[in-house]
Amino acid sequence: MPRLTIDDIEIEVPHGTKVIDAAERLGIMIPRFCYHRGLGSVGACRMCAVKFLQGPFKGLQMSCMIDAQDGMVISTTDAEALDFRRHVIEWLMLNHPHDCPVCDEGGHCLLQDMTVSGGHGMRRFSGEKRTYRDQYLGELVQHEMNRCIHCYRCVRFYREFAGYRDLGALQIAQKVYFGRLADGPLESPFAGNLVDLCPTGVYTDKPARFRARRWDLERGPSLCIHCSLGCNTVAGARYREVLRQEARLNEEVNGYFICDLGRYGFAYAGHPERPRSPRIGSQAVGWQEAVAVACDRLARLGPRSIACLSSARASVETLGTLKYLSKRVGSDHFVCFYDAAVKFKMGEIVSKLDGRTAVSLRDIEKADLLIGVGADPINAAPMLALAMRQAQRAGAKVVMMDPRPLFLPCDFEHLSVSPELFDVCLSALVKSTFDRERVGKHGEAAVTLYDRMLSCDPLDASVQARLEPLIAVVEGCRRPIIICGSDIAPASSVSFAADVALLMGEVKDQSGVFYVLPGANAYGAALFDAANGSSFESVVQEIEDGAIKALIVAESDPFRYVADRDRLQRALNKLELLLVLDYLPSETVRKAHIFLPTRAIFETRSSFINQEGRLQVAEKIHSPGTPIWQVSNKGHPPRLYGTGICGGEPRAAWRVLQQIAHTLVHSQNEISENDPWPVIGGECAVLARHHQHNGPLHGLRIIPQTSTAAFFDGDLDLQPKQPMDGHLTLLPVVSTFATEELASYSEIIQRVIGSPCAYLHSDDAERCGLLDCDRIRIAVDDGFLEIDLTVSDKMARGFLILPRHSRFEWQKLHCFAQGLPVEKIGNCTP
Amino acid sequence: MWFLGFVLLLLKTAIVLTILLGLAAYLILVERKLLGRFQIRFGPNRAGPFGIWQPIADGIKMILKEDTIPQGADRVVFKYAPAVVATVAILIAAVIPFSRDAILWGYDIPMVISDLNVGLLYVLALSSLSVYGVALGGWASNSKYSLLGGIRGAAQMVSYELPLGLSLVPVVMLAGSFSLVDIVNAQACYPFVVVQPIAFVIFLIAAVAESKRLPFDLPEAENELNAGYHTEFSGMRFALYFIGEYVHMMVLGALVAVFFLGGWRGPWLPPVVWLVLKALMVPFFLIWTRATLPRLRYDQLMHFGWKLLIPIALLNILATGAVMLWLRG
Amino acid sequence: MAGNEVNILRAFYEGVAGLASAYRITLKHLFRKPITEQYPEYKRPLPARSRARIILTRDADGDERCVACFLCSAVCPVSCISMESGEREDGRRYAQWFRINFARCIYCGFCEEACPTLAIQLTPDFEFCQRDILKLVYEKEDLLVDHGGKNAEYDFYKHAGVAVKGDKGTHYQEAAPVNIKTNLP
Ligand code: SF4
Ligand code: SF4
Ligand code: SF4
Ligand code: FES
């Protein structure tokens, strides 16, 4: 641990710390443009010059390029260094335009700060300024190249860090240009990070273009709830509307960056059609009346005739209070997952994630072998792909088992096998790493499982040949991590992945399993949903039987997920009471008998548990209310206000649910009105222990150190079924930005999602007489579904892969669960 | 007989009150006008020609204004404190003789409301009472500015009470009486200012301090204490403090006339006119001073009173006594 | 000893003389002619830079100058300026609405000083008080005038370098845009 002296203060820092970081630990911010801890140093801007007085280096040096070493004595305020930095600023400003007033970076611009603090005010040079033409970079990022100071942060991120190729440095010498070869949207789903990274206003946030200055925003720590990773963000709101989000550093989760879904998905909260007042039927009413009528109608129903439905996007607060309510009204049904299989998998995952098996996104970057099992990171959890790329840049090997034609921004070995073969493949990959003796330490069950692995059927020759070299890699690696999806992966694989991770822990330095879950708070939902046996399927059944007469839906929209919508529709029509609490203008909300508006994540403090069991908190950013521009229709806002905020009625779901619960059972609540946690703790023992009032900023892992659940209890699926002749297996999968529910209400995201596209293996395509880019038509009960086709040979045979795209009615295909006869596919290419 | 005396008394009181209050009201206008001119401005000139309706407009405004009582104030004391100041100032006027006795139908009618034989003590006693108005008003407001103003006022008035009284001792020695009528009569040949210039100056200075006007306006020092002890008063209560101050100025003028300038005595003009003219000199001087001198610092004020005025006043008494003894023989 | 007494006497004399001269000077003023201007009867022409009612001026070519940069609202010590910026069809940044609450404004002129486009300017017109305080809330249409105010010839977009008025490279002190399709110097 080197000790060095910076500005007369001594400090000891870990090996490999840059001097610029060492100074920052002391609270000394050395000016910088090109250096970024997430990207490393290049020494391009010369802004971080400091004077080295003693030690291995002498004189003026770039503090971002030099590792701290013992005995260094450094002055950041030496006259020579100050003068140098002043000149750097001056020459950077030679070509910088004077357009701060119309630049969105103004107010949080690093260059502005440095210019002002460097004391540079007047341009002394009277020559001409260099200019560039700007490019259209899509709907998310605005380009204004004149402002560039050539720090190279953008290309370093875009090409090196994120692994995309369509943005780069062009031209030479002092004319270097950062952009694409031609106008066109940036291909990377991480392009929004350029906005955060660029120290000047070359890339600015396009949806928030010209909307506000940083100093006018109500900003606060928030979370992305569009996938299960739980990336940290800073949300900025103005005039009752979130205008933009930035990445918030969380060393354990997302690091310095977030994906574009997280950055631009927020617009659902300001949706123009968002329901904002309580409603009975189609009649808007006051809160008091709505709650009273709801309670009254619930009270008239018998204890077993009420069911509660929530979802994986609801916060821990909502879920916990709904659970509490469901118990209070004597309901047997508390459901968070629409699909019994997903629910079962979630149960497995929650019971098997513990201190030994769970890994964070940061651990992935440190792994040297990543084995994907039915996971599609770019589509299901984009930031995972970025972490995987970092692992690979550090030398890790990536193996993905998936029937889909995967894309990752890094090199990987793709085993395009059908989900039924995941267990076999994984067994074949890892079994030689273990020996009976080591496995025996985990007990009888482990040995049985090991025997099953050994006895697994040989795969077909081509796969076997691909596996051979990988087996050696698995044997040689030290830090393997299994990345397992929860969507197309069968239940047996989900639990098998954890078993393998646990066994690996025995023979490797570090190992673990990283699950990709079906929602921001899927882990939390599973915590509450685990104990009872009912599924949404059985709820619908009981509604049809007339046993359930009321359904309370909190922040959930079954219409989006349930395949058989007509049946759901009929079932809901039979209900005596459909009570819906939500903040989206969803189908279910429209059908509600009584509707109560709730607050979105930005309007109330709420907690979510990500895929590794990390409880994180999003703070309240602003008070609810209709965005001013919607009230005033872009003209000036009303000059007179009544009392209360227009559209400010939504309340936190947990408050409403708690109120209903207490009204129904006439208990003057023994529990605080302002804190949902006592109630939550009462419903879930794990959460009672980790009372999240003021948890650490990077979240709190609530998983047990050692899970008491039985590992090695799953049955391996080693006998894959043969598909029916002349049939294709349908595989509805997630698609980047287009599947996620909240994003489908986000106008910004809707602008950028591509059109839906189906995938078919080239052999199958040939069999059906289809070509790449054909438009196909699938005959369903009541008409046809049309979709563009992409033919690929990087995917498993016998599958038709369809996106669960918000503009494609995949639900209609539920009748082909057993397989789609090829004759149902027609070609409708014009 | 007693009935007639009573009616006469009422009549005299009414006349004196009317003149006094009228003068005081217009003194306010005069002060604003004069200050304006001292500062090369016009002063109030919008209400009527030369602004002569200004006092009336002010009066109406004061009466109509909301009477606010701050939260936490001592309501009873707060309500009555302003009255003390005004009452005391007006009561002093009772002993001031405004003319030689009139003979009506063979009756000798004294032209003073009440010729007390201890008139001078009465004057001193009353003027020291007015400190209660200031101190209580300041305390009752429950405001830090008022409290500080009240404390300053109390300390200042107690301190300047002494030189005020001491400067009058030579006058009493010369006149041989405490009665104000006798004092005026004693000045038949020459006004006392001729023989007692030092006492005159001391009295004048102490009187300024008593009336809390510049350069001794520390109790209300606007730029330090907002308005000092009457910060929290509004409407008629505030007006009472104001009236008190201006009546006090007039009364002081009359007292200076009585003690040093020969009271109503003077050639050609009627005695009352002489008295008013003499009495108006002091307010004019006070206004002139206000336009001229800056406010003293608090320590300077105390220093000046205790270490300068009192010793000089004492020496003046000794000197007067010595001269009188020497003259007698 | 004697010297001391002389000193005291001199100090006394000087004090009295000083006071007397002060009284003399004020007395002299009493007889001077007042210099007051009688306001409603006589309206003094105010200098162009007097600070009263605020206007939003226009460019030489008649377009709104304000680019809704929020600098004036940021600098305003009483926060009486509010606005919402937006992008016009032609890509120009403008104020969708712009509101000044003159009931709050203290006419400090900071906004004018901060404005990079010389859009917001204070004018000598100070006679616009109202009994209804809401009438003092001025909207953009009330503020916008059809002239350039002081420095009418200044045009922000000729200096800024963004391609709003004229293409890149056509503004003041600008070189022609870099051609990215060639590596020739
Ligand atoms: S565009 Fe921005 S990030 Fe890229 S080199 Fe220029 S200043 Fe740096
Ligand atoms: S003059 Fe001063 S107070 Fe008035 S709007 Fe401008 S900055 Fe604000
Ligand atoms: S400072 Fe000028 S350009 Fe900027 S918003 Fe205010 S008036 Fe408009
Ligand atoms: S920050 Fe060190 S050279 Fe740019």
Side-chain angles (χ1 to χ4, degrees):
Chain A
M1 297 267 282
R3 291 186 72 82
L4 67 167
T5 310
I6 304 174
D7 286 351
D8 299 333
I9 315 171
E10 237 181 62
I11 184 173
E12 196 170 326
V13 293
H15 277 289
T17 310
K18 301 286 179 208
V19 170
I20 197 170
D21 283 337
E24 204 172 316
R25 286 179 177 221
L26 288 173
I28 302 168
M29 272 308 263
I30 299 176
R32 80 227 23 214
F33 289 123
C34 66
Y35 181 71
H36 185 285
R37 247 201 308 284
L39 302 177
S41 9
V42 282
C45 71
R46 321 312 284 170
M47 192 60 204
C48 63
V50 296
K51 182 87 168 265
F52 287 68
L53 304 172
Q54 274 172 43
F57 295 91
K58 286 277 164 58
L60 220 50
Q61 298 285 348
M62 297 307 124
S63 59
C64 72
M65 296 298 286
I66 292 177
D67 284 343
Q69 287 171 38
D70 241 345
M72 282 181 164
V73 177
I74 294 156
S75 164
T76 65
T77 53
D78 187 87
E80 202 184 332
L82 286 183
D83 188 56
F84 183 86
R85 299 205 294 255
R86 214 189 328 271
H87 280 93
V88 172
I89 271 294
E90 184 161 5
W91 78 56
L92 286 178
M93 289 301 290
L94 283 187
N95 284 307
H96 194 83
H98 275 191
D99 59 356
C100 298
V102 291
C103 173
D104 272 329
E105 191 82 358
H108 57 279
C109 174
L110 207 53
L111 184 61
Q112 245 177 9
D113 293 351
M114 294 305 152
T115 310
V116 172
S117 61
H120 176 65
M122 282 288 167
R123 185 170 181 257
R124 287 188 285 168
F125 174 65
S126 59
E128 292 185 324
K129 286 181 181 178
R130 174 188 60 214
T131 59
Y132 297 104
R133 284 194 206 288
D134 309 323
Q135 290 180 332
Y136 169 77
L137 298 180
E139 288 301 313
L140 303 180
V141 178
Q142 177 77 27
H143 197 217
E144 180 68 49
M145 220 359 240
N146 279 0
R147 299 173 185 147
C148 179
I149 55 165
H150 299 90
C151 68
Y152 282 76
R153 272 189 187 185
C154 51
V155 290
R156 277 191 292 149
F157 171 78
Y158 203 86
R159 298 174 81 90
E160 292 167 25
F161 195 91
Y164 286 77
R165 303 265 138 217
D166 59 313
L167 180 121
L170 302 106
Q171 257 281 6
I172 51 166
Q174 76 134 0
K175 297 180 177 173
V176 175
Y177 183 89
F178 296 90
R180 294 164 50 91
L181 271 178
D183 283 12
L186 291 169
E187 284 162 15
S188 163
F190 309 102
N193 290 302
L194 297 177
V195 174
D196 286 358
L197 276 171
C198 180
T200 86
V202 175
Y203 306 104
T204 47
D205 195 303
K206 197 164 190 173
R209 181 159 161 86
F210 295 167
R211 291 301 296 280
R213 291 267 175 238
R214 165 76 70 88
W215 61 65
D216 281 331
L217 293 178
E218 296 172 80
R219 294 172 83 234
S222 190
L223 293 173
C224 163
I225 52 169
H226 300 278
C227 83
S228 60
L229 301 185
C231 296
N232 292 203
T233 66
V234 175
R238 180 157 198 256
Y239 289 147
R240 312 201 290 245
E241 178 183 33
V242 174
L243 289 182
R244 56 178 300 197
Q245 282 198 104
E246 293 143 85
R248 173 160 61 96
L249 171 65
N250 185 333
E251 295 281 9
E252 294 302 316
V253 183
N254 55 316
Y256 290 87
F257 309 109
I258 52 172
C259 76
D260 290 354
L261 182 59
R263 187 179 300 269
Y264 298 108
F266 58 82
Y268 64 88
H271 196 286
E273 281 157 34
R274 174 170 168 189
R276 291 181 184 272
S277 45
R279 192 150 62 58
I280 298 178
S282 55
Q283 187 71 40
V285 294
W287 266 106
Q288 219 167 356
E289 187 184 346
V291 171
V293 172
C295 290
D296 186 47
R297 291 212 209 154
L298 284 173
R300 273 192 264 132
L301 295 165
R304 305 217 170 277
S305 54
I306 300 172
C308 297
L309 173 67
S310 191
S311 74
R313 72 169 152 98
S315 65
V316 170
E317 285 84 349
T318 309
L319 291 166
T321 338
L322 184 65
K323 181 83 183 274
Y324 171 76
L325 171 65
S326 81
K327 279 198 184 163
R328 287 256 164 156
V329 298
S331 156
D332 283 343
H333 302 282
F334 174 82
V335 183
C336 295
F337 298 100
Y338 310 101
D339 184 345
V342 172
K343 178 184 161 148
F344 178 77
K345 286 186 243 180
M346 284 309 305
E348 284 291 298
I349 289 169
V350 166
S351 66
K352 288 196 172 175
L353 273 183
D354 66 11
R356 298 168 300 176
T357 54
V359 289
S360 69
L361 215 48
R362 218 50 25 207
D363 295 326
I364 295 223
E365 291 184 356
K366 297 187 205 122
D368 63 354
L369 173 66
L370 298 170
I371 306 173
V373 179
D376 181 357
I378 280 289
N379 281 307
M383 282 306 287
L384 172 59
L386 218 50
M388 291 168 74
R389 177 170 167 84
Q390 303 326 308
Q392 210 222 3
R393 283 174 77 200
K397 179 95 184 152
V398 181
V399 182
M400 303 298 285
M401 299 171 201
D402 205 288
R404 290 168 277 192
L406 289 188
F407 169 81
L408 280 179
C410 61
D411 293 336
F412 65 104
E413 197 75 38
H414 187 189
L415 301 172
S416 48
V417 294
S418 96
E420 288 148 358
L421 287 175
F422 289 166
D423 291 356
V424 185
C425 277
L426 189 57
S427 298
L429 261 184
V430 300
K431 62 187 173 191
S432 65
T433 317
F434 307 134
D435 56 59
R436 187 173 301 273
E437 192 191 332
R438 297 266 192 104
V439 171
K441 283 195 194 163
H442 286 284
E444 268 311 296
V447 179
T448 321
L449 186 80
Y450 180 58
D451 288 340
R452 290 276 286 151
M453 285 161 72
L454 291 178
S455 73
C456 80
D457 277 3
L459 296 146
D460 75 70
S462 68
V463 178
Q464 193 65 42
R466 302 267 312 275
L467 278 178
E468 271 335 316
L470 296 176
I471 292 172
V473 173
V474 176
E475 280 169 8
C477 73
R478 297 314 309 157
R479 295 180 304 281
I481 287 176
I482 300 173
I483 295 169
C484 182
S486 56
D487 181 18
I488 64 164
S492 63
S493 309
V494 167
S495 84
F496 183 43
D499 298 342
V500 172
L502 189 63
L503 291 178
M504 286 274 206
E506 203 60 52
V507 290
K508 306 290 186 190
D509 298 347
Q510 202 199 1
S511 88
V513 58
F514 188 98
Y515 288 110
V516 178
L517 306 187
N521 202 14
Y523 191 104
L527 275 185
F528 291 106
D529 195 0
N532 66 50
S534 70
S535 67
F536 190 60
E537 171 74 24
S538 61
V539 168
V540 173
Q541 185 67 49
E542 286 196 39
I543 296 176
E544 285 167 345
D545 296 348
I548 292 176
K549 299 199 182 70
L551 184 61
I552 304 176
V553 182
E555 297 176 354
S556 166
D557 179 18
F559 280 99
R560 276 192 74 83
Y561 296 92
V562 170
D564 196 346
R565 290 201 205 188
D566 296 333
R567 182 178 168 205
L568 179 64
Q569 176 84 50
R570 283 193 301 275
L572 295 191
N573 286 345
K574 278 195 77 180
L575 284 172
E576 280 174 29
L577 174 62
L578 176 60
L579 172 61
V580 181
L581 297 85
D582 208 342
Y583 47 81
L584 294 175
S586 71
E587 190 66 29
T588 315
V589 167
R590 273 191 285 279
K591 299 229 163 1
H593 302 153
I594 299 181
F595 168 73
L596 304 172
T598 62
R599 294 189 179 188
I601 182 174
F602 309 111
E603 296 151 8
T604 179
R605 185 187 160 101
S606 40
S607 321
F608 294 82
I609 307 176
N610 78 353
Q611 37 63 39
E612 45 153 338
R614 187 180 297 276
L615 181 63
Q616 304 187 99
V617 177
E619 294 294 345
K620 176 178 172 182
I621 308 297
H622 65 108
S623 300
T626 313
I628 285 202
W629 70 267
Q630 289 177 17
V631 177
S632 61
N633 194 22
K634 300 213 171 171
H636 60 67
R639 297 168 65 97
L640 280 173
Y641 290 94
T643 50
I645 295 172
C646 167
E649 282 159 289
R651 296 186 184 168
W654 66 263
R655 274 183 201 275
V656 184
L657 292 169
Q658 203 165 309
Q659 191 191 349
I660 294 176
H662 290 144
T663 317
L664 279 181
V665 294
H666 305 293
S667 77
Q668 232 353 286
N669 42 330
E670 60 284 3
I671 287 158
S672 155
E673 293 237 316
N674 293 316
D675 184 6
W677 281 89
V679 162
I680 296 168
E683 296 308 316
C684 175
V686 181
L687 292 172
R689 258 182 285 129
H690 299 282
H691 206 188
Q692 184 71 10
H693 279 307
N694 291 306
L697 213 57
H698 53 80
L700 195 73
R701 258 198 190 181
I702 58 159
I703 49 174
Q705 191 42 46
T706 312
S707 166
T708 50
F711 279 85
F712 318 114
D713 57 345
D715 189 19
L716 292 194
D717 184 2
L718 301 179
Q719 240 66 51
K721 297 174 282 293
Q722 284 305 311
M724 278 189 285
D725 247 3
H727 281 66
L728 290 172
T729 310
L730 284 180
L731 202 58
V733 299
V734 293
S735 146
T736 320
F737 299 7
T739 301
E740 204 269 317
E741 181 180 359
L742 296 174
S744 73
Y745 293 96
S746 164
E747 192 256 329
I748 307 168
I749 295 292
Q750 289 307 302
R751 260 183 261 156
V752 298
I753 52 176
S755 57
C757 164
Y759 289 93
L760 197 60
H761 193 276
S762 41
D763 293 355
D764 296 323
E766 209 178 301
R767 210 146 44 96
C768 307
L770 295 169
L771 293 172
D772 195 19
C773 298
D774 274 352
R775 189 160 180 80
I776 57 168
R777 167 186 287 177
I778 304 168
V780 289
D781 293 347
D782 51 349
F784 297 97
L785 283 179
E786 284 188 14
I787 189 166
D788 290 330
L789 181 72
T790 302
V791 174
S792 163
D793 50 9
K794 295 210 184 88
M795 59 176 282
R797 290 180 182 77
F799 285 94
L800 178 62
I801 292 168
L802 293 162
R804 290 203 298 262
H805 196 289
S806 53
R807 295 184 202 149
F808 178 66
E809 286 179 283
W810 56 273
Q811 289 96 334
K812 287 199 174 162
L813 294 166
H814 70 98
C815 46
F816 300 123
Q818 301 308 318
L820 172 74
V822 285
E823 59 272 15
K824 293 263 185 189
I825 306 176
N827 191 339
C828 63
T829 317
Chain B
M1 202 58 242
W2 64 268
F3 178 72
L4 201 61
F6 191 67
V7 168
L8 258 176
L9 187 67
L10 278 184
L11 210 65
K12 281 191 289 190
T13 313
I15 292 170
V16 169
L17 260 183
T18 313
I19 292 178
L20 198 62
L21 289 178
L23 278 176
Y26 271 85
L27 190 58
I28 297 175
L29 176 65
V30 168
E31 162 151 36
R32 292 175 64 185
K33 277 295 220 194
L34 278 179
L35 276 180
R37 299 308 295 256
F38 274 123
Q39 293 159 0
I40 341 179
R41 306 182 274 113
F42 284 114
N45 63 352
R46 295 278 145 180
F50 306 106
I52 52 167
W53 306 130
Q54 191 68 38
I56 294 165
D58 284 348
I60 294 171
K61 183 188 89 170
M62 288 296 188
I63 290 170
L64 294 184
K65 248 189 155 174
E66 186 189 353
D67 175 28
T68 55
I69 300 182
Q71 212 173 21
D74 186 325
R75 300 179 73 90
V76 178
V77 180
F78 187 86
K79 281 183 180 165
Y80 294 107
V84 174
V85 176
T87 319
V88 163
I90 291 170
L91 280 179
I92 294 178
V95 291
I96 293 171
F98 43 86
S99 180
R100 67 171 63 86
D101 291 0
I103 312 288
L104 264 185
W105 304 295
Y107 293 112
D108 184 13
I109 303 169
M111 278 297 144
V112 57
I113 293 173
S114 163
D115 178 15
L116 285 181
N117 54 5
V118 289
L120 193 138
L121 291 183
Y122 169 83
V123 166
L124 288 180
L126 276 179
S127 75
S128 47
L129 266 185
S130 83
V131 73
Y132 284 101
V134 172
L136 290 179
W139 177 79
S141 303
N142 190 29
S143 142
K144 50 184 175 288
Y145 296 118
S146 306
L147 185 64
L148 284 173
I151 291 172
R152 281 187 186 185
Q156 170 178 333
M157 291 171 84
V158 166
S159 310
Y160 279 80
E161 202 63 43
L162 276 170
L164 191 77
L166 290 177
S167 70
L168 290 181
V169 172
V171 174
V172 176
M173 286 159 71
L174 290 177
S177 165
F178 279 119
S179 158
L180 267 54
V181 175
D182 292 347
I183 291 175
V184 172
N185 288 337
Q187 300 178 60
C189 316
Y190 52 86
F192 283 162
V193 67
V194 179
V195 289
Q196 282 298 342
I198 294 177
F200 173 70
V201 169
I202 293 174
F203 183 81
L204 206 58
I205 292 174
V208 176
E210 280 288 292
S211 64
K212 305 177 288 295
R213 293 187 54 89
L214 266 157
F216 301 110
D217 68 337
L218 286 110
E220 38 190 296
E222 280 83 0
N223 33 14
E224 305 159 26
L225 301 180
N226 283 342
Y229 58 92
H230 56 56
T231 302
E232 307 291 345
F233 288 88
S234 67
M236 270 323 277
R237 290 183 210 288
F238 174 73
L240 276 178
Y241 271 118
F242 231 71
I243 290 173
E245 179 174 337
Y246 283 86
V247 170
H248 204 178
M249 273 164 77
M250 286 305 304
V251 167
L252 277 176
L255 288 179
V256 167
V258 166
F259 292 141
F260 295 102
L261 304 179
W264 42 263
R265 288 175 188 282
W268 311 306
L269 295 173
V272 182
V273 177
W274 267 116
L275 181 73
V276 169
L277 279 181
K278 287 177 184 173
L280 277 177
M281 281 167 63
V282 169
F284 175 75
F285 175 73
L286 290 182
I287 294 165
W288 187 10
T289 309
R290 179 170 173 187
T292 308
L293 295 184
R295 180 182 308 128
L296 289 184
R297 229 168 44 214
Y298 192 70
D299 61 324
Q300 292 170 335
L301 172 96
M302 283 299 166
H303 181 99
F304 187 63
W306 288 98
K307 297 199 189 157
L308 219 63
L309 289 189
I310 294 180
I312 293 178
L314 286 172
L315 284 178
N316 191 30
I317 294 172
L318 284 182
T320 311
V323 170
M324 284 176 72
L325 281 179
W326 178 63
L327 279 181
R328 276 193 211 152
Chain C
M1 207 47 209
N4 219 352
E5 273 160 21
V6 171
N7 277 349
I8 289 176
L9 279 179
R10 169 167 303 151
F12 181 75
Y13 168 75
E14 278 173 2
V16 171
L19 276 178
S21 85
Y23 276 96
R24 199 184 67 239
I25 289 170
T26 41
L27 196 64
K28 263 203 312 209
H29 276 71
L30 186 58
F31 299 105
R32 283 177 58 178
K33 191 168 140 45
I35 57 167
T36 314
E37 283 162 357
Q38 294 293 293
Y39 159 62
E41 293 90 29
Y42 171 71
K43 287 185 180 153
R44 180 186 198 168
L46 290 172
R49 287 170 59 198
S50 316
R51 301 196 311 263
R53 188 169 65 88
I54 298 175
I55 54 170
L56 288 175
T57 59
R58 288 181 188 270
D59 274 344
D61 55 10
D63 220 333
E64 290 167 24
R65 263 180 173 165
C66 173
V67 295
C69 67
F70 293 101
L71 289 184
C72 52
S73 66
V75 79
C76 178
V78 291
S79 298
C80 69
I81 306 182
S82 47
M83 78 191 85
E84 170 100 68
S85 53
E87 191 173 2
R88 226 164 57 175
E89 305 301 60
D90 59 358
R92 193 165 156 150
R93 186 176 168 133
Y94 80 118
Q96 290 183 13
W97 52 269
F98 192 108
R99 178 181 279 180
I100 299 183
N101 184 348
F102 282 118
R104 255 204 234 171
C105 176
I106 56 169
Y107 305 99
C108 61
F110 284 5
C111 49
E112 177 168 1
E113 211 168 305
C115 181
T117 64
L118 307 187
I120 197 166
Q121 297 185 2
L122 281 80
T123 63
D125 171 22
F126 61 91
E127 298 171 293
F128 64 113
C129 55
Q130 298 284 352
R131 287 197 181 275
D132 177 3
I133 205 157
L134 255 186
K135 288 194 187 145
L136 283 171
V137 177
Y138 276 45
E139 305 292 353
K140 186 172 162 187
E141 34 307 356
D142 310 322
L143 296 165
L144 208 59
V145 296
D146 54 4
H147 56 81
K150 298 164 261 184
N151 290 312
E153 72 296 337
Y154 177 77
D155 191 342
F156 167 76
Y157 280 111
K158 299 251 163 72
H159 297 257
V162 289
V164 164
K165 277 189 192 168
D167 199 3
K168 295 273 177 115
T170 60
H171 307 114
Y172 180 67
Q173 272 197 340
E174 273 185 358
V178 168
N179 179 0
I180 58 167
K181 297 284 163 75
T182 171
N183 272 356
L184 295 176

